Amino acid sequence: QVLSLLIPSQLQRATHRALHRLFHTRSCLFVVLHVALQAAVFGEYTWEVLVYCWELQFHLLLLLLPYLLLAGNLGCFLLCSRANPGAVTKSNAASLAKVYAYDGVLFQRGLVCPTCAVEKPARSKHCSVCRTCVHRFDHHCVWVNNCIGARNAGVFLLYLLSLTATAGAVAAVTAAFLTRVLLLSNVLHGTYLDAQGQEQPVGIAFLVQHLFLNFPRIVFMLGFVILLTLVLGGYCSFSLYLALTNQTTNEWCKSRRFGGSPHPPSQPHDRPLIYKNIYSKGIWRNLKEIFNPPAVLGRKKK
């Protein structure tokens, strides 16, 4: 009985260590998975959808659009994964501390990172995966195997947009091909016999079953790409909202659970602590800051 109680706890600890090692260490696993998924989707698109669409005389630009978007996406992926996200070091900590003001709520002056032994600039955070503090830290992305910070936030936004557009383009061309097949086969106006032997007009379920029997891999790929487009579209919308309001994912999450945060030393305990985003400068200037961060502007002026 004691052994039966120990085994689940040991399994739980082993699972926790495995997940921690998977998500909290620099690893190319998700990069390989990311490339493998793209290769599988575009392999199926190339060898089946593209060939069928070419025979059905689809416009060439429409067929090549997913490849053009894929090329842009891979370029953004390489730039985002290999770029310095904005590491805070002892040599640049003082200058980076002048870029953003301390709001006194989420970011307070005088806090020193115990790992990097530098005073943390406003909007920075220590990443335990990359083992460094990152200026304007957003999050650590396992899919690009890098932190998202001030130096690569704009490229990451372009990466998300191009990835969503790529998935949407593949889904659109594939759906157009299957629709053309249904129209040419005239199955939309057909009928079938149900279990009682009565003649029924075809419905959506019958059409999906008909397509799946004739093009199983294409239908499966279309379902996967549509789901991927919806998920990426939601995440893109959230990332655009953060960019237009000049927030990071880290700041948004901290502000949501701020009710339990302690009072900063500079604020009396009897006054309620209210968070206000002091970094927003309007939609256009916020968006401009994503692609041209203030730290870069400062170095160019010098």
Side-chain angles (χ1 to χ4, degrees):
Q1 185 177 5
V2 175
L3 183 61
S4 63
L5 293 176
L6 288 176
I7 291 177
S9 62
Q10 292 177 351
L11 181 62
Q12 184 177 4
R13 286 197 297 270
T15 304
H16 182 269
R17 285 196 299 268
L19 291 176
H20 186 274
R21 188 177 296 111
L22 180 64
F23 289 100
H24 292 82
T25 55
R26 300 275 297 184
S27 173
C28 294
L29 176 63
F30 286 95
V31 175
V32 173
L33 180 60
H34 168 265
V35 175
L37 287 174
Q38 283 192 330
V41 170
F42 272 86
E44 180 64 25
Y45 174 81
T46 301
W47 296 114
E48 291 211 46
V49 177
L50 182 66
V51 174
Y52 286 131
C53 289
W54 181 259
E55 293 177 354
L56 294 175
Q57 298 181 343
F58 275 63
H59 198 282
L60 180 61
L61 181 60
L62 178 64
L63 299 180
L64 295 180
L65 180 61
Y67 296 101
L68 298 176
L69 292 171
L70 176 65
N73 176 250
L74 291 177
C76 293
F77 171 78
L78 291 175
L79 290 174
C80 190
S81 62
R82 298 179 65 87
N84 176 5
V88 180
T89 62
K90 293 182 179 180
S91 60
N92 65 8
S95 60
L96 290 179
K98 301 176 183 178
V99 175
Y100 295 111
Y102 293 88
D103 64 356
V105 181
L106 299 183
F107 306 103
Q108 303 172 32
R109 188 182 301 275
L111 295 180
V112 177
C113 175
T115 305
C116 302
V118 296
E119 184 175 348
K120 299 170 67 174
R123 310 191 79 181
S124 67
K125 184 180 183 299
H126 182 83
C127 176
S128 60
V129 182
C130 297
R131 299 178 182 179
T132 185
C133 288
V134 177
H135 189 228
R136 201 186 182 279
F137 177 86
D138 192 276
H139 71 288
H140 181 87
C141 180
V142 295
W143 295 103
V144 300
N145 199 24
N146 197 6
C147 273
I148 308 303
R151 300 286 299 277
N152 62 351
V155 179
F156 180 73
L157 183 59
L158 293 178
Y159 163 75
L160 284 179
L161 292 172
S162 60
L163 187 60
T164 306
T166 303
V170 172
V173 175
T174 305
F177 159 68
L178 294 177
T179 303
R180 180 76 66 87
V181 168
L182 292 177
L183 293 174
L184 293 176
S185 63
N186 205 28
V187 70
L188 293 174
H189 305 289
T191 59
Y192 70 98
L193 297 178
D194 60 13
Q196 289 74 31
Q198 297 181 351
E199 190 175 18
Q200 300 288 345
V202 298
I204 296 180
F206 180 88
L207 295 175
V208 172
Q209 183 181 11
H210 171 75
L211 290 173
F212 189 79
L213 290 175
N214 290 277
F215 309 99
R217 294 199 306 271
I218 295 179
V219 173
F220 178 79
M221 182 197 72
L222 177 60
F224 171 75
V225 175
I226 288 177
L227 178 62
L228 186 63
T229 304
L230 294 176
V231 173
L232 289 172
Y235 187 41
C236 268
S237 300
F238 175 68
S239 298
L240 279 173
Y241 163 75
L242 293 180
L244 295 176
T245 56
N246 207 331
Q247 297 183 79
T248 65
T249 304
N250 175 56
E251 294 165 1
W252 185 85
C253 292
K254 289 175 69 174
S255 65
R256 297 283 80 77
R257 58 175 185 265
F258 185 69
S261 299
H263 290 266
S266 60
Q267 188 164 350
H269 289 264
D270 55 347
R271 293 180 59 186
L273 196 59
I274 301 175
Y275 169 73
K276 181 180 179 181
N277 180 17
I278 66 171
Y279 305 112
S280 181
K281 307 177 184 68
I283 292 178
W284 171 246
R285 293 181 64 186
N286 291 341
L287 193 60
K288 183 179 178 181
E289 185 176 306
I290 295 294
F291 297 98
N292 199 5
V296 176
L297 290 176
R299 283 196 296 273
K300 285 184 177 180
K301 288 179 181 179
K302 291 181 181 179

